[in-house]
Amino acid sequence: MKLLEERILKTGRNLGNGILKVDGFINHQVDPTLMDACGKEFAARFKSVGATKVLTAEISGIAPALLTALELRLPIVYARKTKPVTMPDQVFLTLAPSHTKGRTIELIVSPEFLAEGDKVLIIDDFLATGQTILGLVRLAQAAGAQVVGIGALIEKTFDGGRELLSSVGVPVEALAVITDMTDGKIVFAASGA
Amino acid sequence: MKLLEERILKTGRNLGNGILKVDGFINHQVDPTLMDACGKEFAARFKSVGATKVLTAEISGIAPALLTALELRLPIVYARKTKPVTMPDQVFLTLAPSHTKGRTIELIVSPEFLAEGDKVLIIDDFLATGQTILGLVRLAQAAGAQVVGIGALIEKTFDGGRELLSSVGVPVEALAVITDMTDGKIVFAASGA
């Protein structure tokens, strides 16, 4: 998606070690107009998968997932990383190693909001190692729901997430595909338009 | 706002001790269409305050703040509760006691995204004790920015937050104003339509 790639080149920063700083428009400050365009693009790419619910992980997946869900007129559920007092005692919980945080995080969903019969479209900000998204897949499967698609704003192909997710057997879409971040570069895949 | 009040009565649950469970449409599962209507309502109520930025706190403030900002065509900044690796070493940080969490939380904003000259509209999910919102006010003031308005989806008047915020001297708007939650009741203020 040209608009997102241009914004990454203009405002994003390659911090080295494969870390892309996008907190000027995705992660801390958010550009709602850009996120709305991304949500509409996801909605178009996944319009025929028959999703009944959009699933993401707090925190930075919320903006793109919410605007995708708004366009598709679906509810969105965000997996919590800590269990709030309002959640029932019995939950779906999985552990996912976080590359950027350097530790394992918990992903928690209440059985009130994910159930058998749900067709789940997973939307997140990054597809890097794929571990967070795979954690969301496990949560959906634990609930008896079916994953029907996976979308990420930004994919870093060199972290191998797409290969990890291939076993899920659903369409995986990324709006900006970065193939190389060595030596301060940010290189997009040719087909990313 | 009638739509929000009706949804609270239909799907919300009074858990006792003043705790309102709204994780079916605001806090865990989110109804994007309802949040979009709330964002448009905030935008209408604050259209003349001259905001240049919407400020909220992760996590549950993000949905209403994002859709308010989308309607107003403004960037949104969400204060982080933990400092990510992509944030500079020098940050604005304040402590806020959290009633629901039973402990003090950190609210952190990067000086990259909040600065002198910014006119800040604060949007959050709840106005209860007002401590989180007051923390956001302190962050804005520390950055030299000016707070121009405060909006919350749901106000619980019996927690006293509106009095606490009166010293800020800006318009405070809540879309659903709950005056009483004793004995399992959920009672709205008469003017809440």
Side-chain angles (χ1 to χ4, degrees), chain A residues 15 19-21 23-24 26-30 32-33 36 53 58-60 62-63 66-67 69-70 73-80 85-88 100 108-110 112-113, chain B residues 15 19-21 23-24 26-30 32-33 36 53 58-60 62-63 66-67 69-70 73-80 85-88 100 108-110 112-113:
Chain A
L15 298 184
I19 298 176
L20 182 67
K21 180 179 158 82
D23 54 8
I26 295 178
N27 277 342
H28 179 27
Q29 179 166 265
V30 182
T33 306
D36 192 40
K53 199 159 275 197
E58 67 180 30
I59 303 162
S60 46
I62 295 176
L66 180 71
L67 291 167
L70 178 65
R73 302 273 145 184
L74 297 176
I76 152 188
V77 173
Y78 53 91
R80 309 296 310 248
V85 292
T86 48
M87 200 180 272
T100 38
I108 306 166
V109 168
S110 168
E112 300 164 291
F113 306 122
Chain B
L15 298 185
I19 298 175
L20 182 66
K21 180 178 158 84
D23 54 8
I26 295 177
N27 277 342
H28 179 27
Q29 178 165 264
V30 183
T33 306
D36 192 40
K53 201 160 272 196
E58 68 181 32
I59 303 163
S60 46
I62 295 176
L66 180 71
L67 292 167
L70 178 65
R73 302 271 146 187
L74 297 176
I76 153 188
V77 173
Y78 54 90
R80 309 296 310 248
V85 292
T86 48
M87 201 182 271
T100 37
I108 306 166
V109 168
S110 169
E112 301 165 290
F113 307 123

Side-chain angles (χ1 to χ4, degrees), chain A residues 22-101:
Chain A
V22 290
D23 54 8
F25 54 107
I26 295 178
N27 277 342
H28 179 27
Q29 179 166 265
V30 182
D31 178 341
T33 306
L34 177 65
M35 285 305 107
D36 192 40
C38 292
K40 288 186 164 77
E41 178 70 23
F42 278 132
R45 294 194 189 189
F46 289 110
K47 68 174 185 295
S48 58
V49 299
T52 62
K53 199 159 275 197
V54 175
L55 178 66
T56 190
E58 67 180 30
I59 303 162
S60 46
I62 295 176
L66 180 71
L67 291 167
T68 303
L70 178 65
E71 184 70 15
L72 291 171
R73 302 273 145 184
L74 297 176
I76 152 188
V77 173
Y78 53 91
R80 309 296 310 248
K81 291 175 183 168
T82 53
K83 188 175 164 300
V85 292
T86 48
M87 200 180 272
D89 292 335
Q90 287 284 354
V91 297
F92 298 117
L93 184 153
T94 192
L95 298 174
S98 170
H99 188 57
T100 38
K101 292 202 171 57

